[in-house]
Amino acid sequence: MNVEEYREYCISKKGVTESFPFNETTLVFKVMGKMFALCGLDNVPLRVNLKCDPERAIELREEHDGIIEGWHMSKKHWNTVYLDRISKELTKELIDHSYDLVVSKLTKKVKAELEAL
C-alpha cells in the first residue's frame, strides 16, 4: 500500500478528518476528534502508527517483521507498521481495527453523532 492508498482508505471511513497538528509532515487521522492513525509523510520506507489491542499488538509484532512497537507512542497501545513489509489486506485490517478501537471508546453521545453522519 502506498501513501495515497493509505490516505484514501483512512479518509473514507465515517466521521474521519485529517490534519497536521504536530508539524507539516505528520499526517493525522481522527474519528470524531480522536486519533486512530498517523504517519510521517517524509518517512522512507513509509511507516504508519495504528492503535491496537495490547494482546493483539504483541502477537502481530511476533508474527510480522514489518510491525514493531509504536514509534513515539504508547508501546502498549500502538504499533508502527511498515507498509512495504505487510500485505494491503492486512494493512486495511489493522486500520479498521484501530478505527474500531477508538470508536468503541467514544461516549454514547458522540457515537450517536457518528451514526447520524
Side-chain angles (χ1 to χ4, degrees):
M1 180 176 278
N2 63 38
V3 70
E4 291 86 10
E5 292 169 319
Y6 163 76
R7 180 191 170 274
E8 287 294 321
Y9 192 74
C10 287
I11 200 71
S12 72
K13 302 185 103 22
K14 193 177 203 175
V16 170
T17 58
E18 63 182 331
S19 63
F20 292 88
F22 304 118
N23 58 42
E24 61 278 347
T25 61
T26 304
L27 178 58
V28 174
F29 294 94
K30 296 179 180 182
V31 54
M32 303 304 286
K34 301 291 184 185
M35 184 169 54
F36 74 95
L38 68 149
C39 76
L41 297 176
D42 54 354
N43 290 337
V44 177
L46 182 65
R47 59 189 184 267
V48 302
N49 286 352
L50 299 168
K51 199 162 183 101
C52 191
D53 171 76
E55 290 181 19
R56 185 166 184 216
I58 293 168
E59 292 172 8
L60 288 165
R61 293 172 198 156
E62 291 172 353
E63 294 172 8
H64 303 277
D65 68 346
I67 301 175
I68 62 172
E69 293 178 335
W71 181 254
H72 291 299
M73 306 294 283
S74 165
K75 310 289 188 235
K76 183 177 180 179
H77 296 282
W78 289 84
N79 280 334
T80 295
V81 178
Y82 287 81
L83 297 187
D84 64 339
R85 295 190 203 164
I86 65 169
S87 70
K88 192 180 295 189
E89 292 75 25
L90 180 56
T91 301
K92 287 181 178 181
E93 179 186 324
L94 296 175
I95 292 168
D96 291 344
H97 177 65
S98 182
Y99 176 90
D100 292 342
L101 272 177
V102 172
V103 168
S104 74
K105 301 293 185 188
L106 297 174
T107 65
K108 288 181 184 180
K109 179 183 177 189
V110 175
K111 283 181 187 177
E113 291 172 9
L114 176 60
E115 286 300 316
L117 295 178

